[in-house]
Amino acid sequence: MKHLRFLSVCSGMEAASIAFEPLGWKAVGFSEIDPFASSVLAHRFPNIPNYGDLTQYKQWPLAPGSVDVL
């Protein structure tokens, strides 16, 4: 079975990763601008990038096909 890769936007402290973990889904990145939530993400998920401002998505270094679910 293929494990889906997702990009979480308006991530907050990231409930989606907790909900999707039993399904084997993997986060490829977050989009969060709140300083506190961003610090929680950095602590909990140090190897997953926070791309920040959603309105700047065209500048994110994501290859086509690297995300299955937004």
Side-chain angles (χ1 to χ4, degrees), residues 21-67:
E21 185 176 20
L23 302 174
W25 293 24
K26 301 295 179 193
V28 297
F30 305 120
S31 171
E32 181 56 59
I33 59 173
D34 177 77
F36 179 75
S38 293
S39 69
V40 172
L41 289 173
H43 177 75
R44 290 182 60 210
F45 306 99
N47 299 317
I48 301 174
N50 178 2
Y51 294 113
D53 189 348
L54 178 58
T55 66
Q56 304 299 312
Y57 72 94
K58 290 182 181 180
Q59 298 173 21
W60 296 351
L62 293 169
S66 64
V67 175

Side-chain angles (χ1 to χ4, degrees), residues 1-38:
M1 175 192 338
K2 178 183 177 185
H3 295 291
L4 295 177
R5 301 160 297 178
F6 70 95
L7 174 64
S8 173
V9 298
C10 304
S11 301
M13 292 183 278
E14 194 43 34
S17 291
I18 303 303
F20 296 152
E21 185 176 20
L23 302 174
W25 293 24
K26 301 295 179 193
V28 297
F30 305 120
S31 171
E32 181 56 59
I33 59 173
D34 177 77
F36 179 75
S38 293

